[in-house]
Amino acid sequence: MAPEALLEHIRPGTKILVPVAGCEPPTLLDMLDAHADQLEDVRVYQMCTESLRPYQMGEYPGKLTHHEFFLGGGSRKGHANGTSELYPVNFSMIPELVRDHIKPDILIASVSEPDEHGYMSIGLGADYSVQFIGNLPIFGEINAKVPHSFGQNQIHARQMVGATRSDAPVLEVPPLLPAEGSAEHRIAELIAPEIEDRDCLQLGIGKLPNAILAMLKDREDLGVHTELMSDGVMDLVECGAVTGRFKRSHPRQCVATFIMGTRKLYDWVDRNPVVYLDAVDRTNDPFLIGQEPNMVSVNATTEVDLLGQAASETIAGRFYSGAGGQLDFAIGARRSEGGRGYIVCPSVTRDGASRIKVELGTNSPVTTHKNYIDNVVTEHGIARLRGTDYSTRARRLIEVAHPDHREDLYRRARELNIISRLAE
């Protein structure tokens, strides 16, 4: 079918659901944008959108608009422009939000080539979409570049109302590493020794997670239960450091809800039974996460206050991302027998302002509650907060702040009685 066949399923007020990140169908979205003048109040719902199209920038008000669960490189610009909407929601809660409140009319996704049985997969994800397989009209964009991954993301041809073919490039993210001696590299050097044989890992993507994963090749029998799988996980499986032998759920498999990385990773994922993609309300369920022993969660933030609250969604008061799964895994790691959670950030911004603050900045909502944060890590050390009173945690956070800011942080903490006189 031509991409325009999708228009037969679009009516005024149609709500279109798109999976996370690289699972988006670029040809179908380009077609919708090109035909936006023919549409009426059509809404696209997506997460971690890396592409950018005119409708995201408000070119077609009342005709085609963008609505986001977590800002990506493309959707970030539209939100800053005031021409798209952002939902406050944890990743684990998006399936319920979509099912019970948004109530989409159709799902569109990039899918792999059908196998001999007629099955395709949403190759790079399962996320919040798979609950609608068999329960919602699906229009696919079949692309030979999309791997056929295994898990809950299987779609049979009979379950689709239509499909088009495409050879569009699939989103790739190179596995960059931080410069030696940088704050991020030093943080990785602090966290890597904390990870032991048989630990079960959750890390994201970016220079810091990549650096940590690269430092774990001498470990044995690591497991992976994460929301995002990157090239670093593949490398640890290939060198034998990750086996998953001691996982309680899906032993000997790496569990994730979406994949982002390079072509090498996507080729490795293709029909690889060691990779299992599950719905995000399972991968990110704190109670299921907590059933894995020795769960280690590492997530980045942009600022932490002296109470131990992390604001991870904004930079200088402007939204940069979203809640994502940070709180899901912070709670899950705390529930895990032997589990540990790490919230990480360089001690200062590029302008030299402290990321360890007495109070969070204006329009910087709390992402991870003070009661669930376990450890905060900067290049100056690890502030271990579990089991501490306010005075102790404030002192420990000040100790990992940049030396130029410690005196002022301590003075203001005393003025506000965050650090009590008993602690003097």
Side-chain angles (χ1 to χ4, degrees):
M1 295 180 180
E4 288 76 12
L6 172 62
L7 295 174
E8 299 175 11
H9 304 278
I10 306 298
R11 303 286 183 270
T14 293
K15 298 176 181 179
I16 302 173
L17 184 65
V18 180
V20 67
C23 303
E24 73 163 34
T27 302
L28 292 177
L29 289 172
D30 288 345
M31 183 277 299
L32 286 172
D33 191 273
H35 290 80
D37 285 340
Q38 305 172 25
L39 306 178
E40 181 181 339
D41 192 26
V42 173
R43 304 181 182 193
V44 177
Y45 295 84
Q46 196 170 353
M47 177 173 178
C48 197
T49 310
E50 297 297 327
S51 56
L52 181 62
R53 295 177 176 84
Y55 76 87
Q56 294 166 252
M57 299 300 291
E59 291 294 318
Y60 318 110
K63 295 180 178 294
L64 182 64
T65 55
H66 186 76
H67 305 257
E68 188 82 7
F69 306 128
F70 183 101
L71 298 179
S75 53
R76 196 172 292 137
K77 296 176 183 178
H79 186 267
N81 194 42
T83 53
S84 68
E85 293 290 352
L86 175 64
Y87 282 83
V89 61
N90 295 334
F91 202 176
S92 65
M93 300 168 65
I94 294 177
E96 179 264 341
L97 167 68
V98 174
R99 181 184 63 247
D100 296 343
H101 300 279
I102 294 173
K103 300 179 180 178
D105 299 295
I106 191 167
L107 169 66
I108 64 174
S110 278
V111 296
S112 64
E113 290 278 357
D115 65 15
E116 64 272 25
H117 305 292
Y119 282 96
M120 298 159 264
S121 81
I122 306 175
L124 298 180
D127 56 76
Y128 43 82
S129 305
V130 296
Q131 66 175 322
F132 294 110
I133 295 175
N135 299 314
L136 197 69
I138 301 174
F139 200 104
E141 182 171 321
I142 300 171
N143 190 333
K145 298 173 184 175
V146 174
H148 190 126
S149 56
F150 293 136
Q152 294 297 311
N153 58 346
Q154 311 301 300
I155 305 174
H156 195 274
R158 290 191 302 269
Q159 296 172 308
M160 304 177 81
V161 296
T164 190
R165 286 192 171 272
S166 166
D167 62 354
V170 177
L171 173 69
E172 292 190 48
V173 180
L176 302 177
L177 292 170
E180 293 239 5
S182 66
E184 288 181 318
H185 188 266
R186 177 57 183 149
I187 291 169
E189 290 180 321
L190 289 168
I191 291 178
E194 300 271 307
I195 298 174
E196 303 172 350
D197 296 345
R198 302 188 184 184
D199 282 347
C200 189
L201 308 180
Q202 178 266 318
L203 295 94
I205 194 170
K207 292 181 179 180
L208 177 55
N210 293 342
I212 295 171
L213 291 169
M215 295 177 184
L216 302 179
K217 293 183 178 179
D218 62 345
R219 302 300 193 276
E220 296 181 357
D221 292 320
L222 295 174
V224 173
H225 181 107
T226 188
E227 60 183 33
L228 188 159
M229 185 179 297
S230 66
D231 284 67
V233 171
M234 170 185 66
D235 294 340
L236 290 179
V237 173
E238 290 294 285
C239 77
V242 167
T243 66
R245 286 201 307 133
F246 293 94
K247 290 178 63 185
R248 289 180 180 166
S249 174
H250 296 280
R252 294 181 172 82
Q253 287 184 308
C254 297
V255 174
T257 199
F258 74 109
I259 297 167
M260 188 182 291
T262 65
R263 184 72 252 169
K264 180 181 178 182
L265 173 65
Y266 302 158
D267 290 342
W268 179 78
V269 164
D270 188 56
R271 302 182 187 279
N272 189 342
V274 80
V275 176
Y276 186 87
L277 296 184
D278 207 348
V280 70
D281 49 1
R282 289 185 54 80
T283 61
N284 285 43
D285 183 331
F287 295 93
L288 295 180
I289 295 166
Q291 291 176 12
E292 291 291 350
N294 305 311
M295 188 73 212
V296 176
S297 169
V298 181
N299 286 289
T301 191
T302 55
E303 54 187 278
V304 180
D305 69 14
L306 294 184
L307 301 179
Q309 302 177 118
S312 310
E313 305 166 48
T314 56
I315 295 178
R318 298 184 73 88
F319 278 96
Y320 185 82
S321 55
Q326 185 174 116
L327 180 60
D328 298 331
F329 278 92
I331 298 173
R334 288 295 296 263
R335 295 182 64 86
S336 164
E337 181 182 352
R340 290 95 71 202
Y342 299 87
I343 297 294
V344 305
C345 65
S347 63
V348 293
T349 67
R350 293 178 182 176
D351 298 329
S354 181
R355 293 185 186 273
I356 306 296
K357 299 183 174 185
V358 175
E359 300 172 319
L360 297 177
T362 303
N363 200 39
S364 295
V366 173
T367 304
T368 302
H369 192 276
K370 65 187 188 319
N371 297 357
Y372 293 117
I373 289 186
D374 197 357
N375 303 283
V376 174
V377 189
T378 74
E379 72 273 24
H380 298 291
I382 301 176
R384 303 187 189 278
L385 305 188
R386 185 182 294 201
T388 59
D389 56 35
Y390 283 116
S391 295
T392 303
R393 64 175 41 207
R395 282 179 173 274
R396 291 183 179 179
L397 286 164
I398 291 170
E399 288 171 359
V400 302
H402 193 280
D404 291 349
H405 297 282
R406 291 175 189 171
E407 183 177 345
D408 184 60
L409 286 169
Y410 182 81
R411 177 184 58 80
R412 295 186 62 201
R414 278 293 296 112
E415 290 173 354
L416 294 171
N417 202 34
I418 297 173
I419 296 177
S420 74
R421 286 184 292 175
L422 293 176
E424 293 180 342

